[in-house]
Amino acid sequence: QEQLVESGGGLVQAGGSLTLSCAFSGLPFSGVNMGWYRQAPGKERESIATVRWNGESAYYAESVKGRFTISKDNAKYTLYLQLNRLKPEDTAIYYCNAAPGSDPTSFVAWGQGTQVSVFS
């Protein structure tokens, strides 16, 4: 069964760091471009980082470029997002799924996400 399980969120002071993980099962994960998304209160879900299927060539939204790093471990079926120099505006629920523009069959039902809360 296809499943995504995000973890690693928490409450952190501005300037701090977190590492998010996304365990992926039920699909040929190694052949899929993957992405991290986030949804802040009162806002739509947005794509913030993507990585190619082989772990090379990443894309970042301007709001997180230089602070966040996406990586993919195909052997462990896990996607990661390293969050550094966090800001209060990074507060959101973070989700993973296939990258935007991927074949529709690559997407699975959204998981519950993991909450990141940043206080100043």
Side-chain angles (χ1 to χ4, degrees):
Q1 183 176 355
E2 302 164 354
Q3 189 175 14
L4 296 166
V5 179
E6 300 94 346
S7 63
L11 178 65
V12 63
Q13 191 170 17
S17 299
L18 286 171
T19 302
L20 307 184
S21 299
C22 168
F24 202 95
S25 61
L27 280 180
F29 177 74
S30 60
V32 179
N33 298 338
M34 293 295 296
W36 281 98
Y37 303 75
R38 70 184 181 187
Q39 186 167 18
K43 296 186 178 181
E44 294 188 353
R45 183 154 40 207
E46 61 172 342
S47 171
I48 58 170
T50 62
V51 63
R52 283 181 56 80
W53 63 272
N54 57 0
E56 298 177 3
S57 202
Y59 158 82
Y60 298 94
E62 283 298 322
S63 58
V64 306
K65 190 178 294 183
R67 300 187 298 120
F68 293 5
T69 303
I70 187 172
S71 60
K72 188 174 186 272
D73 188 333
N74 287 332
K76 296 182 178 179
Y77 280 69
T78 303
L79 182 73
Y80 301 98
L81 187 68
Q82 177 66 40
L83 290 67
N84 295 328
R85 304 202 309 275
L86 281 160
K87 304 176 180 180
E89 51 263 45
D90 294 320
T91 294
I93 301 175
Y94 286 69
Y95 303 88
C96 62
N97 215 318
S102 297
D103 187 290
T105 60
S106 297
F107 288 88
V108 302
W110 294 96
Q112 293 190 337
T114 186
Q115 175 72 49
V116 172
S117 299
V118 185
F119 64 94
S120 57

